Amino acid sequence: MRQSTYDTDTDLQDRAILVSLVTPNIKRGSSDPELSLQELVSLAETAGVEVLSSMTQNKEKVDTKWFIGKGKVEELRAMSEELGATTAIFDQELSGAQVRNLEEALDLKIIDRTQLILDIFAQRAKTREGIIQVELAQLSYLLPRLSGHGKNLSRLGGGIGTRGPGESKLETDRRHIRDRITDLKNVLDEVVKHRTLHRERRRKSGVQQVALVGYTNAGKSTLLRELTQADVYVENQLFATLDPTSRNLELPSGKEVVLTDTVGFIQNLPHDLVAAFRATLEEVCEADLVLHVIDSASEMREEQISVVNNIMRDLGADGKPTIMVYNKIDMCLGDDHQFIRAGGQDTLVMSAFNKDDLQRLVQTVQDKLSGDTRVFKLPADRGDLIALAYRTGDVIEQAVDGDIIKLTVELNKQDFEVHGHRLAAYAEQV
């Protein structure tokens, strides 16, 4: 039996073969096997893994013992010995028993898609909140699989699958891990309360929020940087930024809104990760406007749009006012951009590096957030109505006539839809 590279400190890079199983259920599902495998390559490279080769098996159903068929296991073993692989990365989620069986049969570290994504998040998380969210997701994922990760935990030298909570935590008994999960959830509950207070404060002050959402590597962070001069990390890789960033964005009218960059979505985003990051993702649910950023140059853009829409629906944010922002138009080859679904006031085709395009986007944001301009004649002693008028838009002119205050208000669409019925009776008829 050949010696694992994890028995020494001389070579810490994983050398992996990627494995994908395609069943009729997967074909009928919302995920695309071809896109998923392509992404697995990018995910592995993002995690610092050297991808040696890949294999795909078409099978009627999952093998409960091996996940793939026994014959495919032997083929994988022969391929790994020939190429000198140290790791096999599966594109689907494995059970603890399947991991244990595959490790014993192959003498390889076995990683599945979920664990790979969690590992990347462990590398990317920088803030205390992000680190806690990743640890919670990793522990929630690993708790029912502890018996299946014996070899993984005993290998020395680190590598994918060992970052985050650390080996010492994962080798403790389930009770201690459950206690740790409880503690982390309590901390995140405080985060939720803190965010809720901030949202309430913003709502009372009339500050509107715009959320950037989209598939990972669609260019959200680049847009945030170019629009607000934010000092954010931008790189052409999956999940280049993890921790959400909010910056003030000045609109042409001079009014400021809060622009928030969120974590990028991906096909088959782990449920534990979505649950752990729910406090962060709730910012999308509370946003007044969503900018759905799309990589125009991606051949899989339609599939990526579908993935984002599905996750938005799962979050309960699918009904939000949305602008479809087809970014990276400068990277489209030939006439490829002609096939982009363009047209309508809620769709923009642009490049984040084109100043004219950025101005068009900001103007579209203002138009989407602004409503009609109306004049309200309010009793001077009705401070509640006067305050409400200020909260439902921008007061651009004020005049006093005896016991009547005349306010000219550029309405905010969302706020006026919620509170406007209280002011409607005082609107000046045109």
Side-chain angles (χ1 to χ4, degrees):
M1 186 175 289
R2 62 182 176 79
Q3 184 180 23
S4 167
T5 57
Y6 285 84
D7 294 333
T8 70
D9 292 329
T10 58
D11 184 7
L12 301 183
Q13 185 179 32
D14 295 84
R15 307 178 75 240
I17 296 173
L18 310 186
V19 184
S20 176
L21 178 68
V22 181
T23 67
N25 286 337
I26 292 176
K27 287 182 178 179
R28 286 194 297 268
S30 59
S31 60
D32 182 286
E34 181 183 351
L35 171 61
S36 189
L37 186 58
Q38 289 178 13
E39 286 179 350
L40 192 65
V41 174
S42 298
L43 288 168
E45 292 173 347
T46 298
V49 176
E50 180 185 355
V51 177
L52 302 177
S53 185
S54 64
M55 64 165 53
T56 301
Q57 181 178 30
N58 291 280
K59 205 171 184 294
E60 279 300 311
K61 60 180 181 178
V62 171
D63 188 300
T64 55
K65 183 176 181 180
W66 306 103
F67 188 72
I68 54 176
K70 177 62 175 174
K72 210 67 174 178
V73 173
E74 293 301 325
E75 183 182 335
L76 178 56
R77 180 181 179 86
M79 182 185 292
S80 66
E81 290 179 347
E82 178 184 351
L83 298 178
T86 63
T87 306
I89 303 177
F90 285 73
D91 196 26
Q92 292 82 24
E93 195 167 292
L94 304 176
S95 69
Q98 288 167 341
V99 170
R100 182 173 63 252
N101 294 334
L102 288 167
E103 280 190 333
E104 291 175 352
L106 299 170
D107 189 34
L108 296 173
K109 184 199 296 189
I110 305 299
I111 299 291
D112 65 15
R113 182 186 181 90
T114 296
Q115 194 171 0
L116 180 62
I117 293 175
L118 291 175
D119 185 85
I120 294 171
F121 272 59
Q123 296 180 52
R124 296 284 186 261
K126 302 299 180 185
T127 65
R128 178 172 175 268
E129 179 185 342
I131 292 169
I132 289 172
Q133 288 170 320
V134 171
E135 182 178 354
L136 175 59
Q138 287 183 309
L139 291 176
S140 299
Y141 166 77
L142 287 169
L143 179 59
R145 296 173 171 80
L146 288 179
S147 61
H149 285 76
K151 274 195 174 185
N152 276 9
L153 299 179
S154 64
R155 295 180 190 270
L156 301 177
I160 57 171
T162 62
R163 282 179 280 255
E167 295 174 350
S168 61
K169 284 191 179 69
L170 299 181
E171 288 171 332
T172 60
D173 59 59
R174 284 182 171 83
R175 181 175 59 82
H176 288 140
I177 292 181
R178 288 194 185 99
D179 289 344
R180 178 61 178 162
I181 288 175
T182 299
D183 291 341
L184 292 173
K185 286 183 176 179
N186 289 336
V187 173
L188 287 182
D189 284 342
E190 292 300 316
V191 172
V192 172
K193 293 178 183 177
H194 186 67
R195 287 186 182 278
T196 301
L197 288 174
H198 270 282
R199 284 196 293 264
E200 287 297 325
R201 198 172 297 134
R202 283 200 301 264
R203 190 176 292 112
K204 289 180 179 179
S205 65
V207 175
Q208 294 174 287
Q209 183 163 349
V210 179
L212 291 164
V213 304
Y215 215 76
T216 182
N217 203 31
K220 299 184 305 301
S221 296
T222 300
L223 264 180
L224 179 71
R225 183 187 65 185
E226 296 301 318
L227 287 170
T228 68
Q229 287 72 55
D231 183 19
V232 294
Y233 179 69
V234 175
E235 191 58 56
N236 184 29
Q237 57 185 209
L238 301 182
F239 302 119
T241 53
L242 172 57
D243 298 303
T245 303
S246 294
R247 294 290 186 271
N248 288 339
L249 170 65
E250 184 175 344
L251 301 179
S253 64
K255 180 181 179 180
E256 288 191 342
V257 297
V258 175
L259 183 63
T260 301
D261 184 17
T262 62
V263 62
F265 298 154
I266 194 169
Q267 188 171 226
N268 302 324
L269 194 65
H271 294 297
D272 291 324
L273 200 59
V274 174
F277 277 77
R278 184 161 292 277
T280 300
L281 294 173
E282 280 179 354
E283 293 292 324
V284 179
C285 300
E286 297 296 328
D288 298 291
L289 176 65
V290 172
L291 301 184
H292 180 170
V293 184
I294 302 155
D295 182 356
S296 300
S298 172
E299 295 179 356
M300 297 292 184
R301 59 177 171 264
E302 294 302 324
E303 291 83 355
Q304 293 173 357
I305 291 171
S306 179
V307 169
V308 173
N309 288 339
N310 288 338
I311 295 177
M312 291 287 285
R313 184 175 62 249
D314 292 341
L315 291 171
D318 54 324
K320 288 286 178 182
T322 301
I323 299 174
M324 304 289 283
V325 181
Y326 285 85
N327 190 29
K328 301 186 181 181
I329 192 64
D330 52 314
M331 296 178 64
C332 287
L333 300 176
D335 295 330
D336 189 43
H337 66 278
Q338 295 181 4
F339 298 97
I340 296 173
R341 296 180 307 177
Q345 60 179 354
D346 295 337
T347 302
L348 280 177
V349 178
M350 62 170 293
S351 165
F353 298 110
N354 185 300
K355 290 184 178 180
D356 291 337
D357 287 348
L358 292 174
Q359 290 176 0
R360 283 196 302 118
L361 174 59
V362 175
Q363 183 63 53
T364 303
V365 169
Q366 176 173 288
D367 294 342
K368 191 72 175 176
L369 291 174
S370 300
D372 299 329
T373 298
R374 294 197 189 182
V375 177
F376 298 99
K377 292 182 177 180
L378 305 173
D381 60 350
R382 290 296 302 273
D384 58 329
L385 292 177
I386 296 171
L388 184 60
Y390 273 87
R391 289 204 302 272
T392 53
D394 293 326
V395 176
I396 57 180
E397 187 176 341
Q398 175 177 314
V400 179
D401 183 9
D403 57 355
I404 296 295
I405 292 182
K406 186 176 180 180
L407 298 179
T408 303
V409 184
E410 187 178 272
L411 299 173
N412 167 267
K413 286 183 178 179
Q414 283 72 45
D415 287 340
F416 188 70
E417 286 173 1
V418 176
H419 306 292
H421 62 280
R422 293 182 57 194
L423 293 171
Y426 298 93
E428 187 176 76
Q429 299 301 315
V430 178

